Structure formats: C-alpha cells, structure tokens
Amino acid sequence: QRNAILSQVHNFSTRPSSLLFCPNALKSFPFTTLQLIIEKMATTTPPRRHLIPAPLAAACLLGSMLFAVTNIKPTYESLLRGPVEMTPVTPENIEEPRRQLSISTFLDPKSTMVRSDAPIMSDSASSENMPNVIYLQHESLSGAVMLNTDEGVAATPFFNKMKNENDDFYVFEGGRTVSGITIDALPALMSGCAPTTKDSVKWLHEIGRPVGYNFKSRGYNTASFSSRALDSDMKKGHWSMLYDVIVGGMDYVVDPLKMKWKLENAEGSDDRKMLPLIEEWISGLESGKPFYAQMYNFNQHYPHAKDESKPGFSHRYFDSLATTDEFLETLFDILDRTGHLENTIVVGSGDHGEDPFKDSYVRLSALNSNVLHAAQYIYYPQHLMPDPSSAERLRMNTQKMTHTLDMYPTIQSILHGGPYDYLQHADQDCITGIDLASVVIPDDRVAITWNLVSSQIVRKQPAEFWALSTRDSEGKDWSLYHRLSRNRHPKLKQGANNFYVLEYGDCTRDTNPKNLCMMNVNQEHKELFRGAVQWIKHTPLLGEGVGKSKLVKFFAEEVGWKEAGEIAVVTTDDPAPNAMGALPQQLEAVATADDSDLSDERHQAGSKSKGFFSSLVQSFQDAIGTRSVDLSCDDILLFMPNRLAPIASQMNGYLRAAMMATFANKALVVMDAPQELICNVDGYAGPPLGLPNIIKSPEWLTRECAIPCQASHSYVDWNGIRLNMHLNDLSSTPFEHVCMNENGRESRVFPIGGDEIHNFFESNFKEQMLQRPSPSAYEWALRLGATEPQEAELFAQLEGDTMWDYLGALLMRNEEVLHLQSDVAKDVAKLMKSRELDTRLPYDAIDVRRGDAILDRADARNFAINYWDAQQGKPEAKEPHNYIPLIHYLRHYYDRSEEKCIKDDNVVIISTNAPGEVRKEIDALSRRRWVDGDIVSVRPKQCLAFKFVISTPRKRDVSPGKDESCTDRYDDLVADIADFITMQKANTFVGEFHSDWGRLVRTSRLMLNKAAIEEGSHNNPVLLKDMNVAWGYLHPGPPGW
C-alpha cells in the first residue's frame, strides 16, 4: 500500500509541497497514508482547499498524540528514507517552503502564463554555481520623478544608458507601492506580504520573514549595508519592526553608527560612502560560494542628499537622484573589477515614491501619483536564467503595471532556480506579488495600496490612505484613491474624507506644485474600477482573502460593484395578471381602444388598488407605532432629470429617485426644465418633451404634491440650489432646503439631479437600504406598495441582490411607476400597431448596443476587448473592439438546436442603435434568406431558422452630431419607448446590463413569487421572465442603476 501510494504521488508531482498546514506535530508525523491524502488534496487540480480542514485536524491530533520526535523533510527522496532526526527551527535555518503551483495559476484569462517546466532547485541542492544577488531598497525613490521629468532623466545618465542600451537591464515603468509610509512599504519589499488583517500584521513581523533568511539557509554569504542608522529607535523604538527586515539572516551588517559617520541626511549618511565597504566585503569572500547583499539606500529621503561639490539642479531631489546614479555606476564597476558582473543579478526598487515639490514628507499624510509610483529595475544576465524565455517576459513586464510586492517572488524565483509560488503567503491574509520572470502581467492588473500597519501604529495622527491602481483599455494608468485623516491637506487640495482619481504618465512630467494630476471621481472612473474590483475578486494572481478584505469591500461599495447573483427564471409565456408592470398593459389598453382614452374600468382598477393600499397602511399604524405614509407635502425629494440625457437614462434615474424618496419617507416630485429650454426654441408648442410630460407618477409616490414654493422658486432657482450642494462630494450628508409655500406651510426640499443621483445613492443610501435586520425596512416595503403583511415581512429579511430584485418587483407591479402620459401612450400605441409583426404572437427580443454605448463605459469596453482577444487567429478578430457581434447574442439558439431539432421559425425582434450593421450580420448568417418588407428570414442550419425584425433607424443615428429638431427628438423618444415595450413583453429577452435599456427591461420583467412569499421562503421570492444575458455582468445591481 505504501509503494502504491508513493507511486500515485510521484505521478502527479515529483516535488510534494511541504506539510505546513498545522503545527509542528504534523511536521513530525511519520510517513502515513493520511499524510499523503492531505498532500494530494492540497495540490490537486483544481485545489480542494475546502476539503482539507477535517482530515487536517485529525492528522494534527494524531500526530501530536503519537509522534513528537521525528521529522519529514519535504522532498520525495526523504519520504523514501522515512523518518529522520528533527532539526530545531531557528531564524538562522528557516527555509521558505515551496508549494507546488496549483492549476488555478494557469487559469487567468488575461495573458497570465506561468511556466512549470523550468528546473527547480531541490532543498538539498548545493549553492555552488548559483548566481550572486544584490537587492537594493531605495528609500523614497519616485519612478514618476526619475523616469518622467526632464531633470530626473538628466540627473541619471548612467541609469538611462543601461535602460536604453543594455539588453540585460530591465526598468519597470509602471511600478506601484504598497504605501507611502516605510513601516508598510519596506517589509512588503523584503517579505512579499502586504497584510490585510491584524493576524497577518502579527505574522509579517515575526522573526524570520525577510528574504535574507532564505539566502542564509541556502548557504549564501550574506551582508546588509544600511545607509540609515540602526539606532535605538530602529532596534527597540518606533521603527523596531524594520530592524529584522534590514539585518535578519545577515553575516555582516554595516550602518553609519558602526562606521561612526556623520548623519548628514536626516537619520542617514550618503549612500556612496558604502561603496568601498561593499567592494572590500565582496573581494574578501571565499571563492565558490555565492553572496547575497542587501542595501538600504537613503539618499532620496528628506532633506535629500546633495553633492555640494557639483552644480545643483532646480531641486535637491534631483540632486539626490544624481548621487544615486553615481552609486549605481560605481556598484557595477565594482562588480566588473571583482569579476562578478556576469554572475550577479541586481534588483532594485523604491519602497515608495515621493513628491518633494508640494511639501516635505507628503507621503506621510497623503498619496498622489509621484508617491504611488515607485522606481523598479533588474539587471539579470540572460545566461543566468533557468528559462531563456524569462527575458522576454521581463521585457514585456517593463511596460506593464508592476508592484513593489513583485520584487520578493522574483528574487525567490532566482533563489529557487525557477518559478516561485507567489501565493505562498496568501493563506496568511496577505496581498502578494508575482514572479516577474515567470508571469506576463495582464493589462488590466490591479495594484493595491493599503497602509494597514502604519494606520494601527502611528497614533499621533492615525490615517488611512487607500488606493486601487489599474490600466484602462487605452493603456492609461489611473488610481482610485481614498484619503481619511483628521485634517485636510491644503497643498494637495485633499479633504479629510474624500475620494479622488490620480493620473499618471505625461501628467507627472510637470513638477509645478499646482499640477496635482488629480480629479474628482466620475461615472467613467467608477465603471473602470468596477472592473478592477471584479479582477481582484476573480484573478488567480491574488489569494481569495484579498477579494473579501475590508479595503476591497469598501471600494466595491464606492464604485457600485456587485457580485453576480442568482435569481429564478420564469419561462412561461403567460405571466400572472398585473405582474409585469403597468406599462405594457397600458399600451394594450390603448392599442385595443382605437386611439381612445383609457377605459374607466382601468382607472377604477387603479383606484381600488390605491384604496386597498391606503386602508392596509391605516390598519397597520397601531402595530407599527408611527404613521407609515406621510401624505403631507412637508418633505419632498425634488428630482431634476438631466434634460440632455437619453430617455432610458432618465427613467432609470427616476426609479432610483423613487427608491430614495420612499426609503426617506418623502414625496417624490419630478421637475424638468421648461419646454423652451429643453428644446432651445422660444415659445415651443410642439409635442411634449421632458420626463414629467412622458411619465405620470402615481399618487402614492407623489402624494399629489406640486412643485414646492413655485411663487419664489423657479427652475433656475432650484437648479442653482442643487448645483451648490456639491453632491459629488461623497462625504456630504443629505441637505434640505426649506422654503415657504403659498398656503403658508414650509417644505423641506431635497433637490437632486440625474447627474449626481447615483453618487449620492451609493454614499448615503445604499448601505442603509441593505442593513438587515431592519424594522424600518418593513415600513419601507409598505411605502413601496407591499399589499400584504407577508410581503413587507419578507422584504425586511432579504439581503443583497435578492433584496434589490424584490424591491424592483414592488416598484414595477400594478402601482404604475412607469405609467405613460396619455398623449405619449397614444403615439406609442399607434407606432406599435403600424409594425408588420403582430406582437400579440409569441416572439423573442434582443437589445444590441454598439459604438459609443460600449466605448463610453470602461467595464463594457473591457468585456468587448476580452471577447475579441479570445477570437485570436480567427478572421473576425481583426474587427474593432467597440461591439459584440450578433452571433454571440444568438448562441443559445444554436445550443438549443443541437439538443432538439426545431424547424419552426424563431421570431426575433432586434432593438439596436446600429440597424445597418446588424442587418449585414444577419445576411452573413446564411445564404438561405428571404426578405418580406421589414422581415428577414434566414435558416443558418437545418434545425434552426429565424425571422428577424430590426428596429427602424433613429433620426439621431442617421445624422450623428447634427442637432435634432424637437419633433425628431419626440419621434425618436416614441420609437425608443415602443422598443422598450416590445422587449418587455417578449417571451425571451436577450441583452446586457451596460445599456440603460437592458437594465430597465430586466427590472420591468421582475415579479413577486406569491407562493414563496406566502411560505415565508427566502428561496426565489422573485421571478424573472425568461432572459439570457448576452455578455458582461450577470446582475445589474439596484433598480435604476
């Protein structure tokens, strides 16, 4: 049995990972079947980590009880030998374990490629013939200043010559740091971990973590040259957590105090003083044994070292860069003179950047582009690479977004002679980097900045400086940055609790103090960073704990990211009466009334519903202890749509306003600009424009309140009040303007526009709405239209996406939130009747959006790019990345035809902003096609046939860029709403949630599952009429987004 198990283990891995899953009792466990089972489970593909705890606990227990004196070395050879004598673990002999790379490492769809065939140096291998390694940690070396400014380049001629002329020299131009504070940043460089929890902070600061111990355990000569004085503050005081980082595992340690040097640069001396000592140490080493030297260079630290014997630059920071350039040139000369240049690898990185042009020590109290951009470089002769293709990966990564955390796994791969498991510390709740020599960084990689340690240790002014950095589809780098501090930063114009977006690249070339490279967060930024959060949560380049961390959850809330949820799907073609919302029913009534007014029966039904709702509220008042619906107009949410926004965007904003008004127990009043302003025509008397003229809000939502204070407040007045509220400042709290009505009563009015409603919802309402348990949610459900106690009770218990869907179903039921004004309803009905296809017959609908509808949204653009990247090698892959082809929307029809041959036509109505392009793709589906008016019939396969009807071109799309007349705008509006009703009533709807129509259609197809509600079940309390998500996110989030 033993040999059989050994054979199985050997088949899947000749290098079993070390058994470090429980205390030393398990490490001392003799060779058993159980041990190999755990090992097998830990390295299986895909890894079954959730299965490990039970047998692991048993193994730990048995091991601790039965065996305490033996130890197994984690190599296949030692397993064959059986138990060996246990070696005491000390900081001097700690050896970093190497786990087998899991298959998840290979699964990132974004160009990640980790080699598994490079040679791996076994634990017992000799250090002979291993390369020498020099690791430089540059205090406050800013890549933005060094690489992007004219004076930075002029100050570093040797560095730039190496960059431009030496094929073995790699400069990583997009480096990001863990923190602008050394307490966070330096341990990350040396230990490969940025902690996310208090436990991981404690783990990080345990003796033996820095990389120097690993070189010592491999038999290297080790030395540390610290230009920062290792004084009592470093050994036992404020900075003591850095002492082991600098001296741990070192045979030889030098610092200014040991050499009795003057500290001419704050707590440090000129780095160049170390050079003779470095040469002396290297020259005195015995041959045949490699060396590892780490150098903590301090010249960029404030007040920035300057060579007074040489002409100066415009700022001392540039002078300090000149001294660093001279240091590097002399270091390479030393390696050449001592015969070590060809067998030495040099790795260097700033622990963080610096911005000396705004203020001294900016990085201690804020972040900006110069602080976040750390300089990084590697000198790695190709003949020393175990895998020659590492050179290509390193070169590619010089143009990617790297992280200071990448230095540690890259050095470990050098030490191990091949790819290193960069997720080694992920189980310790660490943010980790990647091996730059083994992994091609994906273009949309996200770097995380988190000053967790310093925020806990620095008590004088505790502060949090958090950032997510990523790259957009055009190759431009951005950071979403949150600053939380006791005070504002006036030099950087940063508030005490604010969000900003930081810009890189050309922006940082200008060192003028007024050049901040910073802007407020807009919707496009939020879309980009929703994709960044998605990447963090699903990439195999980070541990699972990172996506669940406090910081990532915080940013996810800020940008409106939501994980795709699950929801029941209804496939019936005949939904329950009144379940699909009022709008299609209203259109049916108009369409069957020969353009007459809506029937009295229809209005009576609405009145009955309202009366029942009101009576229900009254019956619950005593039990609730408060008035659930305030019918007065003292509290008003005044929604002011963006008059230039598409109608779908305005309708979504209106749904969001309805959610906020009912939650805050306010009347919702919609106020649009005067018709003359909307149409830009004096005395306009044409068809109605503006949301209030299109949608008739229900009385339960408006409380029959008029626009407040009309005698004293015009549209211009209210719009000015709204703009002065600074709603885009996410730290603001709800502001109410008090005004006097003509009846002598005051109204507390909260004006909010379509442009800022999303930001304000995210920052002030969303978290409160999601809070559970919440007694107020019960009352909110009543205000939303819950007609039975069970409906309100269940709503008060639901969480996450299920709650949002339930809320949408309440909004869209027979209370007519989207009830059309009668004139608009007539025109929409008339247009729908004129179409050749009878929409009362079964049909499906597809919403296809292209061009700016995708390019204007970063997350949608990224999905499109990923789609086309997956088509590499195919002729269509050369197409532009601003759309997803029609064939992708039709894929479920093709899949279904493989399962069952259906020769009947699939009737499909397509709503699109690019009808010409879609028609060409329909023609390309098959040569077997027939055209009958607006209907195009095609049969791509024997068991698959379509009848397509494409929406008519909008006048705005026929002449893009040309101002539409008011009549044309109204005609387009009617056509848009007709398409919406068509999609809403379809048997199956195919769309996506990056478009306003896709989100709105989905919300309108939600309905309450009465059977589940009556049972009080949380399983599928909401039903969704059949829908296929064509691409992108699987759930749109809250209604109206």
PDB file of all heavy atoms in Angstrom, residues 946-967:
ATOM      1  N   PHE A 946     -34.755  31.627 -38.414  1.00  0.00           N
ATOM      2  CA  PHE A 946     -35.123  32.880 -37.759  1.00  0.00           C
ATOM      3  C   PHE A 946     -35.995  33.725 -38.685  1.00  0.00           C
ATOM      4  O   PHE A 946     -35.870  33.674 -39.918  1.00  0.00           O
ATOM      5  CB  PHE A 946     -33.877  33.719 -37.424  1.00  0.00           C
ATOM      6  CG  PHE A 946     -32.965  33.112 -36.405  1.00  0.00           C
ATOM      7  CD1 PHE A 946     -31.806  32.449 -36.788  1.00  0.00           C
ATOM      8  CD2 PHE A 946     -33.249  33.236 -35.049  1.00  0.00           C
ATOM      9  CE1 PHE A 946     -30.953  31.917 -35.848  1.00  0.00           C
ATOM     10  CE2 PHE A 946     -32.395  32.698 -34.096  1.00  0.00           C
ATOM     11  CZ  PHE A 946     -31.254  32.033 -34.494  1.00  0.00           C
ATOM     12  N   LYS A 947     -36.842  34.514 -38.059  1.00  0.00           N
ATOM     13  CA  LYS A 947     -37.491  35.644 -38.706  1.00  0.00           C
ATOM     14  C   LYS A 947     -37.114  36.876 -37.890  1.00  0.00           C
ATOM     15  O   LYS A 947     -37.531  37.022 -36.745  1.00  0.00           O
ATOM     16  CB  LYS A 947     -39.013  35.479 -38.736  1.00  0.00           C
ATOM     17  CG  LYS A 947     -39.523  34.583 -39.852  1.00  0.00           C
ATOM     18  CD  LYS A 947     -41.041  34.628 -39.932  1.00  0.00           C
ATOM     19  CE  LYS A 947     -41.531  33.788 -41.117  1.00  0.00           C
ATOM     20  NZ  LYS A 947     -43.011  33.824 -41.222  1.00  0.00           N
ATOM     21  N   PHE A 948     -36.288  37.730 -38.496  1.00  0.00           N
ATOM     22  CA  PHE A 948     -35.801  38.908 -37.794  1.00  0.00           C
ATOM     23  C   PHE A 948     -36.585  40.150 -38.218  1.00  0.00           C
ATOM     24  O   PHE A 948     -36.884  40.339 -39.411  1.00  0.00           O
ATOM     25  CB  PHE A 948     -34.318  39.156 -38.095  1.00  0.00           C
ATOM     26  CG  PHE A 948     -33.380  38.136 -37.499  1.00  0.00           C
ATOM     27  CD1 PHE A 948     -32.735  37.211 -38.307  1.00  0.00           C
ATOM     28  CD2 PHE A 948     -33.144  38.114 -36.136  1.00  0.00           C
ATOM     29  CE1 PHE A 948     -31.861  36.288 -37.759  1.00  0.00           C
ATOM     30  CE2 PHE A 948     -32.278  37.186 -35.583  1.00  0.00           C
ATOM     31  CZ  PHE A 948     -31.638  36.267 -36.394  1.00  0.00           C
ATOM     32  N   VAL A 949     -36.890  40.979 -37.228  1.00  0.00           N
ATOM     33  CA  VAL A 949     -37.430  42.307 -37.478  1.00  0.00           C
ATOM     34  C   VAL A 949     -36.522  43.288 -36.758  1.00  0.00           C
ATOM     35  O   VAL A 949     -36.330  43.183 -35.543  1.00  0.00           O
ATOM     36  CB  VAL A 949     -38.873  42.453 -36.967  1.00  0.00           C
ATOM     37  CG1 VAL A 949     -39.380  43.871 -37.220  1.00  0.00           C
ATOM     38  CG2 VAL A 949     -39.781  41.440 -37.636  1.00  0.00           C
ATOM     39  N   ILE A 950     -35.929  44.217 -37.501  1.00  0.00           N
ATOM     40  CA  ILE A 950     -34.959  45.156 -36.935  1.00  0.00           C
ATOM     41  C   ILE A 950     -35.640  46.499 -36.713  1.00  0.00           C
ATOM     42  O   ILE A 950     -36.413  46.966 -37.554  1.00  0.00           O
ATOM     43  CB  ILE A 950     -33.746  45.326 -37.869  1.00  0.00           C
ATOM     44  CG1 ILE A 950     -33.141  43.955 -38.200  1.00  0.00           C
ATOM     45  CG2 ILE A 950     -32.701  46.228 -37.234  1.00  0.00           C
ATOM     46  CD1 ILE A 950     -32.014  44.025 -39.195  1.00  0.00           C
ATOM     47  N   SER A 951     -35.352  47.113 -35.588  1.00  0.00           N
ATOM     48  CA  SER A 951     -35.923  48.422 -35.295  1.00  0.00           C
ATOM     49  C   SER A 951     -35.493  49.441 -36.343  1.00  0.00           C
ATOM     50  O   SER A 951     -34.405  49.351 -36.913  1.00  0.00           O
ATOM     51  CB  SER A 951     -35.486  48.886 -33.906  1.00  0.00           C
ATOM     52  OG  SER A 951     -34.074  49.004 -33.841  1.00  0.00           O
ATOM     53  N   THR A 952     -36.365  50.390 -36.591  1.00  0.00           N
ATOM     54  CA  THR A 952     -36.073  51.418 -37.590  1.00  0.00           C
ATOM     55  C   THR A 952     -34.988  52.346 -37.076  1.00  0.00           C
ATOM     56  O   THR A 952     -34.884  52.596 -35.860  1.00  0.00           O
ATOM     57  CB  THR A 952     -37.328  52.234 -37.902  1.00  0.00           C
ATOM     58  OG1 THR A 952     -37.833  52.779 -36.680  1.00  0.00           O
ATOM     59  CG2 THR A 952     -38.400  51.371 -38.541  1.00  0.00           C
ATOM     60  N   PRO A 953     -34.145  52.887 -37.956  1.00  0.00           N
ATOM     61  CA  PRO A 953     -33.080  53.803 -37.514  1.00  0.00           C
ATOM     62  C   PRO A 953     -33.665  55.036 -36.838  1.00  0.00           C
ATOM     63  O   PRO A 953     -34.687  55.567 -37.260  1.00  0.00           O
ATOM     64  CB  PRO A 953     -32.353  54.159 -38.816  1.00  0.00           C
ATOM     65  CG  PRO A 953     -32.715  53.079 -39.778  1.00  0.00           C
ATOM     66  CD  PRO A 953     -34.099  52.637 -39.408  1.00  0.00           C
ATOM     67  N   ARG A 954     -33.009  55.464 -35.791  1.00  0.00           N
ATOM     68  CA  ARG A 954     -33.405  56.708 -35.144  1.00  0.00           C
ATOM     69  C   ARG A 954     -32.829  57.881 -35.926  1.00  0.00           C
ATOM     70  O   ARG A 954     -31.752  57.796 -36.508  1.00  0.00           O
ATOM     71  CB  ARG A 954     -32.894  56.747 -33.695  1.00  0.00           C
ATOM     72  CG  ARG A 954     -33.367  55.600 -32.835  1.00  0.00           C
ATOM     73  CD  ARG A 954     -34.888  55.617 -32.640  1.00  0.00           C
ATOM     74  NE  ARG A 954     -35.282  54.631 -31.635  1.00  0.00           N
ATOM     75  CZ  ARG A 954     -35.683  53.402 -31.926  1.00  0.00           C
ATOM     76  NH1 ARG A 954     -35.772  53.011 -33.182  1.00  0.00           N
ATOM     77  NH2 ARG A 954     -36.012  52.554 -30.962  1.00  0.00           N
ATOM     78  N   LYS A 955     -33.533  58.974 -35.866  1.00  0.00           N
ATOM     79  CA  LYS A 955     -33.076  60.155 -36.594  1.00  0.00           C
ATOM     80  C   LYS A 955     -31.765  60.683 -36.033  1.00  0.00           C
ATOM     81  O   LYS A 955     -30.963  61.250 -36.752  1.00  0.00           O
ATOM     82  CB  LYS A 955     -34.161  61.221 -36.561  1.00  0.00           C
ATOM     83  CG  LYS A 955     -35.429  60.773 -37.304  1.00  0.00           C
ATOM     84  CD  LYS A 955     -36.555  61.767 -37.189  1.00  0.00           C
ATOM     85  CE  LYS A 955     -37.794  61.227 -37.925  1.00  0.00           C
ATOM     86  NZ  LYS A 955     -38.961  62.141 -37.833  1.00  0.00           N
ATOM     87  N   ARG A 956     -31.543  60.444 -34.733  1.00  0.00           N
ATOM     88  CA  ARG A 956     -30.293  60.892 -34.140  1.00  0.00           C
ATOM     89  C   ARG A 956     -29.110  60.071 -34.622  1.00  0.00           C
ATOM     90  O   ARG A 956     -27.968  60.539 -34.606  1.00  0.00           O
ATOM     91  CB  ARG A 956     -30.383  60.804 -32.607  1.00  0.00           C
ATOM     92  CG  ARG A 956     -30.638  59.398 -32.077  1.00  0.00           C
ATOM     93  CD  ARG A 956     -30.620  59.346 -30.559  1.00  0.00           C
ATOM     94  NE  ARG A 956     -30.948  58.003 -30.068  1.00  0.00           N
ATOM     95  CZ  ARG A 956     -32.149  57.601 -29.719  1.00  0.00           C
ATOM     96  NH1 ARG A 956     -33.174  58.451 -29.797  1.00  0.00           N
ATOM     97  NH2 ARG A 956     -32.361  56.367 -29.282  1.00  0.00           N
ATOM     98  N   ASP A 957     -29.380  58.796 -35.029  1.00  0.00           N
ATOM     99  CA  ASP A 957     -28.307  57.935 -35.512  1.00  0.00           C
ATOM    100  C   ASP A 957     -28.043  58.115 -36.989  1.00  0.00           C
ATOM    101  O   ASP A 957     -26.938  57.869 -37.475  1.00  0.00           O
ATOM    102  CB  ASP A 957     -28.646  56.467 -35.228  1.00  0.00           C
ATOM    103  CG  ASP A 957     -28.748  56.180 -33.740  1.00  0.00           C
ATOM    104  OD1 ASP A 957     -27.979  56.810 -32.981  1.00  0.00           O
ATOM    105  OD2 ASP A 957     -29.583  55.347 -33.341  1.00  0.00           O
ATOM    106  N   VAL A 958     -29.067  58.539 -37.728  1.00  0.00           N
ATOM    107  CA  VAL A 958     -28.905  58.751 -39.172  1.00  0.00           C
ATOM    108  C   VAL A 958     -27.963  59.908 -39.439  1.00  0.00           C
ATOM    109  O   VAL A 958     -27.126  59.868 -40.342  1.00  0.00           O
ATOM    110  CB  VAL A 958     -30.277  59.008 -39.831  1.00  0.00           C
ATOM    111  CG1 VAL A 958     -30.089  59.405 -41.293  1.00  0.00           C
ATOM    112  CG2 VAL A 958     -31.149  57.773 -39.728  1.00  0.00           C
ATOM    113  N   SER A 959     -28.061  60.960 -38.626  1.00  0.00           N
ATOM    114  CA  SER A 959     -27.200  62.138 -38.791  1.00  0.00           C
ATOM    115  C   SER A 959     -26.510  62.448 -37.472  1.00  0.00           C
ATOM    116  O   SER A 959     -26.858  63.414 -36.776  1.00  0.00           O
ATOM    117  CB  SER A 959     -28.025  63.346 -39.254  1.00  0.00           C
ATOM    118  OG  SER A 959     -28.679  63.084 -40.470  1.00  0.00           O
ATOM    119  N   PRO A 960     -25.566  61.612 -37.059  1.00  0.00           N
ATOM    120  CA  PRO A 960     -24.903  61.838 -35.771  1.00  0.00           C
ATOM    121  C   PRO A 960     -24.147  63.161 -35.770  1.00  0.00           C
ATOM    122  O   PRO A 960     -23.544  63.545 -36.751  1.00  0.00           O
ATOM    123  CB  PRO A 960     -23.944  60.646 -35.650  1.00  0.00           C
ATOM    124  CG  PRO A 960     -23.734  60.165 -37.049  1.00  0.00           C
ATOM    125  CD  PRO A 960     -25.011  60.456 -37.775  1.00  0.00           C
ATOM    126  N   GLY A 961     -24.216  63.846 -34.628  1.00  0.00           N
ATOM    127  CA  GLY A 961     -23.537  65.119 -34.499  1.00  0.00           C
ATOM    128  C   GLY A 961     -24.378  66.301 -34.942  1.00  0.00           C
ATOM    129  O   GLY A 961     -24.057  67.440 -34.643  1.00  0.00           O
ATOM    130  N   LYS A 962     -25.457  66.041 -35.662  1.00  0.00           N
ATOM    131  CA  LYS A 962     -26.335  67.111 -36.118  1.00  0.00           C
ATOM    132  C   LYS A 962     -27.444  67.312 -35.109  1.00  0.00           C
ATOM    133  O   LYS A 962     -28.026  66.370 -34.600  1.00  0.00           O
ATOM    134  CB  LYS A 962     -26.926  66.749 -37.483  1.00  0.00           C
ATOM    135  CG  LYS A 962     -27.856  67.817 -38.049  1.00  0.00           C
ATOM    136  CD  LYS A 962     -28.419  67.376 -39.385  1.00  0.00           C
ATOM    137  CE  LYS A 962     -29.400  68.402 -39.931  1.00  0.00           C
ATOM    138  NZ  LYS A 962     -29.976  67.970 -41.229  1.00  0.00           N
ATOM    139  N   ASP A 963     -27.722  68.569 -34.807  1.00  0.00           N
ATOM    140  CA  ASP A 963     -28.777  68.871 -33.845  1.00  0.00           C
ATOM    141  C   ASP A 963     -30.115  68.407 -34.390  1.00  0.00           C
ATOM    142  O   ASP A 963     -30.513  68.739 -35.518  1.00  0.00           O
ATOM    143  CB  ASP A 963     -28.824  70.373 -33.544  1.00  0.00           C
ATOM    144  CG  ASP A 963     -27.594  70.839 -32.782  1.00  0.00           C
ATOM    145  OD1 ASP A 963     -26.948  69.988 -32.144  1.00  0.00           O
ATOM    146  OD2 ASP A 963     -27.283  72.044 -32.842  1.00  0.00           O
ATOM    147  N   GLU A 964     -30.835  67.649 -33.549  1.00  0.00           N
ATOM    148  CA  GLU A 964     -32.165  67.192 -33.933  1.00  0.00           C
ATOM    149  C   GLU A 964     -33.196  68.290 -33.682  1.00  0.00           C
ATOM    150  O   GLU A 964     -33.073  69.068 -32.734  1.00  0.00           O
ATOM    151  CB  GLU A 964     -32.565  65.971 -33.095  1.00  0.00           C
ATOM    152  CG  GLU A 964     -31.889  64.690 -33.456  1.00  0.00           C
ATOM    153  CD  GLU A 964     -32.459  63.552 -32.625  1.00  0.00           C
ATOM    154  OE1 GLU A 964     -32.120  63.456 -31.445  1.00  0.00           O
ATOM    155  OE2 GLU A 964     -33.261  62.767 -33.178  1.00  0.00           O
ATOM    156  N   SER A 965     -34.203  68.316 -34.521  1.00  0.00           N
ATOM    157  CA  SER A 965     -35.328  69.190 -34.228  1.00  0.00           C
ATOM    158  C   SER A 965     -36.116  68.597 -33.073  1.00  0.00           C
ATOM    159  O   SER A 965     -35.990  67.414 -32.757  1.00  0.00           O
ATOM    160  CB  SER A 965     -36.222  69.330 -35.470  1.00  0.00           C
ATOM    161  OG  SER A 965     -36.895  68.107 -35.725  1.00  0.00           O
ATOM    162  N   CYS A 966     -36.953  69.413 -32.439  1.00  0.00           N
ATOM    163  CA  CYS A 966     -37.736  68.931 -31.304  1.00  0.00           C
ATOM    164  C   CYS A 966     -38.701  67.841 -31.736  1.00  0.00           C
ATOM    165  O   CYS A 966     -38.954  66.889 -31.006  1.00  0.00           O
ATOM    166  CB  CYS A 966     -38.503  70.094 -30.676  1.00  0.00           C
ATOM    167  SG  CYS A 966     -37.402  71.377 -30.033  1.00  0.00           S
ATOM    168  N   THR A 967     -39.243  67.972 -32.940  1.00  0.00           N
ATOM    169  CA  THR A 967     -40.163  66.948 -33.450  1.00  0.00           C
ATOM    170  C   THR A 967     -39.422  65.637 -33.667  1.00  0.00           C
ATOM    171  O   THR A 967     -39.938  64.553 -33.337  1.00  0.00           O
ATOM    172  CB  THR A 967     -40.802  67.417 -34.766  1.00  0.00           C
ATOM    173  OG1 THR A 967     -41.497  68.640 -34.532  1.00  0.00           O
ATOM    174  CG2 THR A 967     -41.771  66.370 -35.294  1.00  0.00           C
TER     175      THR A 967
END
